[in-house]
Amino acid sequence: MTIPHPFSRLARLALVSRVGNLVTLACRLSFGAFVLLMAAAPVAFAATLAGRVIDPDGAGVPGARVVVATSIGTVADRATDASGGFEVAALSDGSYEVRVIADGFQADPVSVTLGGDERRELSLRLRLSAIAESIVVSAAQIDVPLSRAADSVTVVTAADLEARQIETVADALRLVPGLAVTRSGGRGALTALFPRGGASNYTLVLVDGIRANSFGGGYDFAHLSVADVDRIEIVRGPESALFGSEAIGAVVHIVTRRGGRPRVDGLLEGGSQKTARATIDAAGSRGDWSWGAGAERTRSGGYTGIAPATGEEVSNDDYHLSHVSGTLGWQHPGGVDFLINGNVGRDERGFPGPFGSNPIGAFGGVDRISRGVDDTRQIGSRFTYPWSSRVRQRVDANFTDLSGNFVSPYGESSSGTRRFDVRVQEDLALSPAFGASAGLEFLRERGSSTYVTGGLTDQPIPIRRGTTGVFGEIRYVGRERLFVTGGLRLEHITRDAVEANVGPFSSRPAFPDQTVDSLNPKIAVSYLMKAGGDRGASTRIHASGGTGIRPPDAFEIAFTDNPNLKPERSRSIDVGVEQQVVGGAYSIAATGFFNRYDDLIITIARALQNASRYKSDNISNARARGLELEGAARLMNTLKVRATYTLLHTEILSVDGLPLAPPPFKVGDRLIRRPPHQGSIDLRFAAGRVTAFGELTTRGRMRDIEPTTGSIGGFFAPGYAVVNAGASVRVARGLDIYARVLNLADRVYEETLGFPAVRRSGMVGVRIAASR
């Protein structure tokens, strides 16, 4: 299958030349900065921290992470050896905080002050915990401990992914409160994420710090591999004060593995619907060098049974995925840190159409032609230099190229996004309690589509946009009880002039350059009311508030006569409490949130012509409020239980200037595909050579659209409850055999109306791990 690219060969060569010039310039600047900084007078580092990490029984814990940090973030991250020992050398004199990260355990942070060439020995004792400590990079301008993050943050670790035998990032997100995941069919089908009542394009997705969204914020979670994932960080709530555009509702950050003891892991599995999946990943460190890499290959024949809507045999439901990623880093002790990472992926899937529920009888039959192919190419680099123990500079440069080709009975089409961004950030340790960050980010992107045409020849034209973000943040830690983070970011968004559209879809006039400025603040506060020792309890109260924006996508810009479309906006606050008892072995948490969405872009119907003179405008509004509940328990050392529940109320508000909602809605109607009730229960068991899991996910009835015509009348998708279970047995050192059953009760259900979910299916596989 050959699908033409929307750009001519000459235009593509010109674009490649421009990107090449940008990359060459960035490389020259980075190399020049590297030489300059390496030639600068080195900072004197001489102190050493060493010691041992032990479990509750006093035995050494191998593979635990020991993190040494100051108010500007992590300065050292070491893995313990086979006896639980660690050593961190070349530290400057000053105050540090030492934390231990180990799955299923917690340890109290230890504060130390080092002087000169002092060597300090520490013994760090762990205790069983339902919630493990983690270092997160998505809740502030620097990396911070999860226990200090005042935002609503969830971390899914590699250990969680392995225990639950997770295939994709979307599957991992199903157990996170506040997130609604909807998949329109089987493996590889379009998968959307709705954060706290926000739209499916309200989540900023980062892969090792590189933006992965398409132009305007859209993202399909169906193809996000977990082959080499170290952790997934989810921040619920707007984060435009940190990341700018597109972080309007949530941030999902995938961090891949790098460093530690050299190791190689792989799996090979197969099962129902002729599904086969193979992954391999490797990571390690040697001297100043660290690395990580992963690859995945998946194929599935999809559903080939009888279509409920028409009674015919289904075909064209197959799926193929290939993905490769890698990271290479070099860090001189106490000095320069350089990192380069990238990923390449391709997915292909047939689209048989909504062959399930057929509410108005509009489905005409299985589509045996439609098929899509997506390509992803990303590369990024990070350069960090500590000018002193109190000042650190960081420079990031990233490039993303996304392209999609689609064939349907109506012809061929293509779409694409290309993005280049550079970020410079300064981190300052004002005191042991105060830290600050400030910086500048420049982003240039272009979106394209076969259907976005212009000029006299009616050829595809790209939509180009530039963003300059200036940001600042200040952080305060008061006696390990009060944690405050406040930030501000000013976005200066410019869109290049757009030619007049004389194609068959629109008569839009030419648009001049457009400039929009948006100021987005954020503040987050957390207070630890009480803390005890290994058998004690702690209560944490947290609250946050902020704003977010999402600029228009390519279609919203192209198919309008409005030259002044603005970004959609959100305002959000949340307040929560978390209670831990028995040293963290039991935990319960509750968070309430309120979101207001303004300046939503809609098509102006006849009933709204008095509200706007354009074909589309920023006049719609909505709000969402809800409650997130979460509980976790670690029962002895063998059983872990976790449960979540989300109550969500969404409401469509009147448009600006009129007491009406956008037709066919009425004021007060619920938003589409935002379930009012959803929950989950996750059980994990581990004893000796055996591990097992069981999980229940459930969702209430929700408003949906007619699957064939897309009409928005009174259509609803029924609720469901699904059980998955699996087990793994270690048959030899580094060799596991495992199996899982999805939809154990063989329920017939649809996550989105018209698209049947996978019935009961099984997978069996073997996992191999080797390390030095």
Side-chain angles (χ1 to χ4, degrees):
M1 176 182 64
T2 302
I3 302 176
H5 197 277
F7 303 110
S8 67
R9 178 177 177 82
L10 183 61
R12 292 172 64 186
L13 290 174
L15 176 64
V16 170
S17 176
R18 291 182 62 187
V19 171
N21 291 337
L22 286 171
V23 173
T24 300
L25 177 60
C27 291
R28 288 175 177 174
L29 291 173
S30 298
F31 180 76
F34 180 82
V35 172
L36 177 63
L37 295 174
M38 290 298 290
V43 181
F45 298 102
T48 300
L49 271 176
R52 191 163 177 253
V53 177
I54 57 176
D55 64 18
D57 297 325
V61 179
R65 289 175 58 195
V66 179
V67 178
V68 181
T70 67
S71 57
I72 59 172
T74 299
V75 297
D77 188 340
R78 300 288 186 270
T80 57
D81 58 26
S83 65
F86 68 91
E87 181 174 292
V88 182
L91 294 170
S92 64
D93 56 343
S95 298
Y96 297 91
E97 183 181 75
V98 183
R99 292 178 180 266
V100 180
I101 299 174
D103 186 60
F105 295 94
Q106 277 190 13
D108 292 328
V110 176
S111 297
V112 297
T113 301
L114 300 176
D117 57 356
E118 178 183 1
R119 179 183 178 88
R120 182 74 60 86
E121 296 282 342
L122 300 176
S123 179
L124 305 175
R125 179 179 290 272
L126 302 176
R127 60 178 180 273
L128 290 176
S129 176
I131 300 177
E133 181 65 284
S134 183
I135 299 296
V136 296
V137 296
S138 311
Q141 298 290 4
I142 64 169
D143 49 345
V144 297
L146 177 62
S147 57
R148 280 189 181 178
D151 297 89
S152 297
V153 183
T154 299
V155 177
V156 181
T157 66
D160 297 327
L161 300 174
E162 180 176 325
R164 292 168 49 202
Q165 301 181 26
I166 294 294
E167 294 183 29
T168 68
V169 169
D171 293 330
L173 299 178
R174 294 181 185 276
L175 271 64
V176 177
L179 303 184
V181 179
T182 61
R183 186 168 69 183
S184 299
R187 284 182 176 87
L190 177 65
T191 304
L193 178 69
F194 299 84
R196 286 184 169 177
S200 60
N201 54 1
Y202 277 16
T203 301
L204 174 64
V205 180
L206 303 170
V207 180
D208 286 329
I210 306 176
R211 294 171 182 259
N213 300 71
S214 61
F215 187 97
Y219 191 80
D220 183 359
F221 281 84
H223 320 297
L224 205 47
S225 172
V226 298
D228 59 341
V229 171
D230 177 70
R231 66 186 185 275
I232 306 168
E233 301 178 7
I234 306 100
V235 185
R236 303 184 297 282
E239 295 292 319
S240 288
L242 272 70
F243 301 105
S245 302
E246 298 167 359
I248 181 172
V251 174
V252 173
H253 193 170
I254 293 87
V255 181
T256 59
R257 296 179 182 178
R258 176 174 69 97
R261 299 171 62 191
R263 61 196 182 277
V264 179
D265 304 288
L267 64 81
L268 181 64
E269 62 183 28
S272 302
Q273 296 187 346
K274 298 181 180 180
T275 301
R277 177 170 172 257
T279 73
I280 185 170
D281 66 270
S285 301
R286 181 163 185 164
D288 295 341
W289 293 92
S290 62
W291 64 87
E296 176 177 348
R297 173 70 174 168
T298 297
R299 63 174 176 80
S300 178
Y303 182 71
T304 56
I306 301 301
T310 60
E312 61 184 319
E313 183 177 326
V314 176
S315 63
N316 195 36
D317 195 41
D318 58 299
Y319 174 59
H320 305 268
L321 170 70
S322 299
H323 173 83
V324 178
S325 64
T327 304
L328 179 66
W330 180 85
Q331 182 177 18
H332 185 70
V336 172
D337 182 0
F338 181 75
L339 178 72
I340 185 169
N341 61 283
N343 66 86
V344 178
R346 164 168 280 210
D347 61 84
E348 179 178 349
R349 197 185 197 284
F351 290 87
F355 58 83
S357 298
N358 191 15
I360 62 173
F363 182 65
V366 173
D367 185 342
R368 308 187 193 279
I369 298 175
S370 294
R371 176 168 293 270
V373 178
D374 300 309
D375 289 288
T376 300
R377 293 168 289 272
Q378 293 186 302
I379 187 169
S381 63
R382 185 186 72 203
F383 183 80
T384 306
Y385 185 79
W387 293 97
S388 70
S389 61
R390 291 178 172 270
V391 181
R392 180 177 66 183
Q393 185 178 58
R394 171 174 166 172
V395 180
D396 296 78
N398 304 306
F399 175 72
T400 294
D401 183 6
L402 310 175
S403 62
N405 301 308
F406 192 76
V407 173
S408 76
Y410 306 100
E412 302 172 347
S413 61
S414 301
S415 62
T417 297
R418 287 188 173 94
R419 180 183 299 115
F420 180 76
D421 69 273
V422 177
R423 179 186 178 102
V424 180
Q425 178 174 321
E426 299 286 339
D427 300 317
L428 307 161
L430 305 177
S431 73
F434 280 97
S437 299
L440 175 71
E441 182 172 16
F442 169 78
L443 184 148
R444 184 71 177 172
E445 61 182 344
R446 57 180 269 175
S448 61
S449 171
T450 300
Y451 302 112
V452 179
T453 60
L456 297 177
T457 59
D458 192 27
Q459 294 297 310
I461 59 171
I463 306 295
R464 294 183 174 89
R465 183 162 57 208
T467 302
T468 302
V470 181
F471 58 87
E473 180 181 87
I474 190 164
R475 300 168 295 275
Y476 172 74
V477 178
R479 298 185 179 181
E480 284 301 321
R481 289 183 177 271
L482 178 63
F483 311 103
V484 181
T485 301
L488 195 66
R489 176 164 171 147
L490 175 63
E491 292 280 276
H492 179 72
I493 304 171
T494 59
R495 189 185 71 214
D496 293 1
V498 180
E499 297 181 51
N501 189 312
V502 296
F505 298 101
S506 174
S507 58
R508 172 183 50 74
F511 288 166
D513 293 349
Q514 183 193 32
T515 299
V516 176
D517 293 321
S518 177
L519 186 65
N520 293 282
K522 172 195 168 183
I523 186 167
V525 181
S526 174
Y527 183 68
L528 189 64
M529 297 180 62
K530 182 180 179 182
D534 288 359
R535 309 301 297 177
S538 64
T539 302
R540 186 173 74 98
I541 297 176
H542 64 91
S544 65
T547 64
I549 60 170
R550 184 196 70 86
D553 62 30
F555 281 93
E556 290 168 334
I557 294 172
F559 298 108
T560 186
D561 57 350
N562 186 347
N564 297 308
L565 278 185
K566 300 176 294 185
E568 297 184 338
R569 303 177 185 274
S570 71
R571 292 173 287 168
S572 176
I573 58 172
D574 65 21
V575 179
V577 60
E578 178 185 349
Q579 177 75 48
Q580 293 189 16
V581 297
V582 194
Y586 300 87
S587 173
I588 56 173
T591 301
F593 61 87
F594 178 88
N595 298 336
R596 170 74 187 233
Y597 304 111
D598 298 307
D599 294 338
L600 305 184
I601 300 171
I602 61 167
T603 300
I604 305 301
R606 184 184 301 272
L608 303 180
Q609 288 181 350
N610 290 333
S612 175
R613 62 188 179 90
Y614 297 112
K615 293 181 179 179
S616 62
D617 209 340
N618 300 88
I619 64 170
S620 187
N621 308 286
R623 66 185 175 200
R625 56 186 183 272
L627 177 67
E628 300 166 350
L629 303 177
E630 186 172 5
R634 183 70 181 265
L635 307 176
M636 298 179 290
N637 197 28
T638 58
L639 182 63
K640 183 177 180 180
V641 183
R642 182 172 175 269
T644 68
Y645 170 75
T646 302
L647 173 66
L648 176 66
H649 178 76
T650 61
E651 187 176 1
I652 297 173
L653 305 178
S654 61
V655 301
D656 297 340
L658 290 176
L660 303 173
F665 296 106
K666 300 190 296 290
V667 174
D669 281 350
R670 292 182 179 273
L671 292 168
I672 290 174
R673 293 184 179 171
R674 276 71 152 192
H677 305 280
Q678 63 179 16
S680 67
I681 299 176
D682 179 26
L683 304 175
R684 284 183 243 169
F685 173 83
R689 295 174 176 267
V690 179
T691 62
F693 78 93
E695 63 183 35
L696 166 70
T697 56
T698 181
R699 189 206 72 196
R701 180 174 178 261
M702 70 178 186
R703 187 167 191 148
D704 211 329
I705 63 175
E706 205 288 320
T708 302
T709 64
S711 58
I712 309 176
F715 302 101
F716 292 86
Y720 62 84
V722 178
V723 176
N724 303 325
S728 174
V729 178
R730 176 149 296 177
V731 296
R733 182 179 178 184
L735 178 62
D736 294 351
I737 296 176
Y738 63 89
R740 65 181 176 275
V741 180
L742 307 178
N743 194 359
L744 186 63
D746 199 24
R747 295 291 302 272
V748 178
Y749 73 102
E750 297 172 345
E751 294 187 20
T752 57
L753 192 63
F755 297 90
V758 177
R759 298 283 295 272
R760 181 167 52 215
S761 62
M763 296 287 287
V764 296
V766 58
R767 181 183 295 109
I768 301 174
S771 62
R772 294 181 58 185

